[in-house]
Amino acid sequence: MRPEIRDSQEILLERIDQANATFALDESYFFMILPGESLTSLVDGEFCWNLHNNELVMIGRDNMGVYWYFRNLSLGKYKINFRYRSPIQSDLNKLFRPPVVENIWSGKVTTPLVDFFLVN
């Protein structure tokens, strides 16, 4: 799951995704729930000051080692939501030999937008 952030004018901010390592895939990296069930997942992220560029950034990492960040944030109102895209079966079959997951649902899930504010 990766965040999407919109500014006060509801313009989608650019999220930069960066992988600096290759992780061996494990079944635990994938959300496995049955129809009608729900899932709660925590996403770890933080705000920090980038001294090199003199800017506020929000940075986090997913469970597969991909770092994501939003640059040049400022005081004001924002909206955040999270989007999850499940891989299609053929993509999973390429990752796992032999395939360990069968009959997987593919599609996208998006959480509702939630307001947050950066204040002084």
Side-chain angles (χ1 to χ4, degrees), residues 1-8 10-17 43 47 58 68-71 73 77-85 108-116:
M1 292 186 70
R2 300 225 179 98
E4 296 180 331
I5 296 179
R6 298 176 186 282
D7 65 13
S8 61
E10 303 212 11
I11 296 171
L12 189 62
L13 301 182
E14 177 186 16
R15 184 189 67 230
I16 300 166
D17 297 330
V43 177
F47 291 98
M58 181 181 185
W68 49 262
Y69 60 97
F70 296 91
R71 298 182 57 201
L73 299 172
K77 177 181 176 182
Y78 293 89
K79 293 179 182 248
I80 188 169
N81 69 311
F82 291 86
R83 182 173 298 244
Y84 171 75
R85 182 189 68 84
K108 294 180 183 177
V109 175
T110 304
T111 65
L113 288 165
V114 175
D115 293 340
F116 74 94

Side-chain angles (χ1 to χ4, degrees), residues 79-119:
K79 293 179 182 248
I80 188 169
N81 69 311
F82 291 86
R83 182 173 298 244
Y84 171 75
R85 182 189 68 84
S86 72
I88 60 175
Q89 188 71 51
S90 62
D91 288 343
L92 285 176
N93 291 344
K94 292 175 194 172
L95 297 173
F96 293 106
R97 295 279 186 232
V100 295
V101 181
E102 296 178 0
N103 301 321
I104 191 167
W105 168 82
S106 63
K108 294 180 183 177
V109 175
T110 304
T111 65
L113 288 165
V114 175
D115 293 340
F116 74 94
F117 299 85
L118 295 178
V119 297

Side-chain angles (χ1 to χ4, degrees), residues 1 30-33 37-41 84:
M1 292 186 70
F30 299 92
F31 300 122
M32 305 296 268
I33 61 173
E37 292 182 341
S38 64
L39 172 78
T40 300
S41 177
Y84 171 75

Side-chain angles (χ1 to χ4, degrees), residues 17-56:
D17 297 330
Q18 202 168 48
N20 63 357
T22 302
F23 287 77
L25 293 177
D26 183 89
E27 288 179 64
S28 66
Y29 293 152
F30 299 92
F31 300 122
M32 305 296 268
I33 61 173
L34 296 173
E37 292 182 341
S38 64
L39 172 78
T40 300
S41 177
L42 299 176
V43 177
D44 190 22
E46 65 184 12
F47 291 98
C48 58
W49 189 258
N50 182 336
L51 293 174
H52 179 70
N53 293 332
N54 198 31
E55 65 183 351
L56 180 64

